[in-house]
Amino acid sequence: MVKRVDHIDFRVMDVESLVAEMKRLGFVEVRRTNRVPQSVEIALPGENQVIFEVRAAKEGEKLGVNHIAFKIDSNDTNDKLKEKGIVFTKENNLVKDTGRTVSNFKDSQGFSWQLTD
C-alpha cells in the first residue's frame, strides 16, 4: 500500500526564485524536466528525502500545493484502493521525464493526491 510521501507538487509565480531560496536553506536540485511546463525537483540532501516539485502556475491556476504524491509498494495498490471506494481520475500514467508511473485521485474535499511507483 502507501509507504511514504514521495513528492509535493508546488505551483508558483517564479520557479527560479523559489528554487534559489530553497537552495539557500540547504536543498539541492535533483532534476529539471524538459516538459512544458518545466518542473524543477529539489530535496534536502540524503536518501529518501521528500522531493519538492516546483512548477510555474498557469494563468488562473491557484498558487501553492497542487498535489501530494505517495510512494506505493505494489502494482495492486490501485485495485485495493478502488475496493475501498477511491475513484481515480488518471491511472498508471507514465511520465517520461521522471520515469514515474502515477495515478491521481481527489478526496472528498476536492484536494488532489497522487500515487507513484
Side-chain angles (χ1 to χ4, degrees), residues 49-66:
Q49 294 288 348
V50 174
I51 293 171
F52 288 36
E53 182 178 9
V54 183
R55 292 196 275 172
K58 297 175 188 168
E59 176 137 355
E61 191 172 37
K62 184 177 141 186
L63 298 178
V65 175
N66 181 54

Side-chain angles (χ1 to χ4, degrees), residues 14-80:
D14 183 343
V15 171
E16 295 305 328
S17 174
L18 181 64
V19 169
E21 289 175 42
M22 298 304 279
K23 285 180 176 180
R24 286 195 292 270
L25 292 173
F27 283 72
V28 294
E29 191 169 311
V30 175
R31 168 184 18 236
R32 283 180 182 260
T33 66
N34 292 322
R35 68 180 177 189
V36 176
Q38 180 189 45
S39 69
V40 179
E41 295 181 358
I42 56 176
L44 291 168
E47 290 185 39
N48 296 320
Q49 294 288 348
V50 174
I51 293 171
F52 288 36
E53 182 178 9
V54 183
R55 292 196 275 172
K58 297 175 188 168
E59 176 137 355
E61 191 172 37
K62 184 177 141 186
L63 298 178
V65 175
N66 181 54
H67 68 261
I68 297 174
F70 297 106
K71 180 78 99 178
I72 57 173
D73 63 0
S74 66
N75 293 335
D76 65 346
T77 296
N78 287 10
D79 292 334
K80 290 178 181 177

Side-chain angles (χ1 to χ4, degrees), residues 87-102:
V87 177
F88 289 92
T89 57
K90 184 185 291 186
E91 203 168 348
N92 299 318
N93 180 55
L94 176 63
V95 179
K96 292 178 185 176
D97 284 335
T98 65
R100 292 184 186 107
T101 300
V102 300

